[in-house]
Amino acid sequence: IDGIDVTDPSSVQTAYDFGALTGAGLARIEIVPGSQSALYGSSAVGGVIAITSTTATDPGLHHRVSAEYGSYTTRQLSYGLTWMDDRSDFAVTLSQVATDGFSMADENDGNPEADGYAANRLSFNGGYEFDSGLRIAIAGFSETSDGDYDSSFPIADADNRALIETAGLRLSATFATGPVDHEIALSRF
């Protein structure tokens, strides 16, 4: 996400858990098939999903608000702000999604509760370009999700809860020396 490797090395499969990712504030999702380990590391043997957040593309200050409502009292609200001038740019998006949900466990077996879910996400990115052509940039995100769920094997258990908190930050510098473009980056997830 925005150049931050979000795979989980402590998991059996190092894949990212897309469950807490909302669509608010995302500009592009790119699927790069085939081995990409030279660019993205040893866990990218089968391909990469590269997610890019909204960035400032037009000069000036711009606001974006979105609200949705649906089944099971599902609601999503997001606010985005972008700013850009000749040398610098900045974008930030705040989003929240929540639902009362429904229960996978059978209500006839004494399970009347619905399995609710809520997620919050903050993402930001920006940069500044110096006269020399050096560009310093920052990108980051923080997301939390809290959801109830029912296990299904061997019998439905209605008392499960998943709380997930993730955050990522990336600092980078890009510059050119003749025909060669360089990027130096440091990221943490």
Side-chain angles (χ1 to χ4, degrees):
I1 300 176
D2 295 329
I4 302 167
D5 182 0
V6 293
T7 56
D8 184 0
S10 67
S11 177
V12 175
Q13 293 188 358
T14 60
Y16 175 67
D17 180 6
F18 287 94
L21 183 65
T22 65
L26 299 182
R28 183 177 66 214
I29 298 175
E30 182 180 7
I31 299 173
V32 186
S35 180
Q36 302 296 322
S37 57
L39 292 175
Y40 296 101
S42 62
S43 63
V45 174
V48 170
I49 299 173
I51 300 171
T52 305
S53 298
T54 301
T55 58
T57 56
D58 297 320
L61 180 66
H62 302 279
H63 302 272
R64 184 182 63 259
V65 176
S66 170
E68 299 177 26
Y69 187 84
S71 302
Y72 305 107
T73 318
T74 303
R75 56 236 177 251
Q76 180 171 334
L77 181 64
S78 69
Y79 169 74
L81 175 137
T82 61
W83 179 78
M84 182 178 180
D85 67 11
D86 293 342
R87 292 180 177 251
S88 56
D89 60 272
F90 181 74
V92 63
T93 302
L94 298 163
S95 66
Q96 179 185 46
V97 62
T99 183
D100 290 347
F102 59 91
S103 182
M104 185 185 90
D106 193 351
E107 191 171 318
N108 295 329
D109 292 335
N111 185 28
E113 108 301 342
D115 295 327
Y117 176 79
N120 298 305
R121 180 175 171 82
L122 165 70
S123 63
F124 61 91
N125 59 66
Y128 183 83
E129 187 166 337
F130 294 92
D131 288 334
S132 63
L134 172 67
R135 177 175 166 79
I136 303 295
I138 186 169
F141 67 88
S142 174
E143 56 192 17
T144 61
S145 68
D146 185 5
D148 300 323
Y149 67 96
D150 299 329
S151 61
S152 60
F153 187 78
I155 58 172
D157 179 8
D159 295 327
N160 296 306
R161 181 173 176 211
L163 176 62
I164 301 170
E165 298 177 358
T166 59
L169 183 65
R170 181 176 195 261
L171 303 170
S172 65
T174 55
F175 56 96
T177 54
V180 180
D181 293 334
H182 302 277
E183 180 177 29
I184 298 170
L186 176 65
S187 66
R188 176 154 171 80
F189 173 68

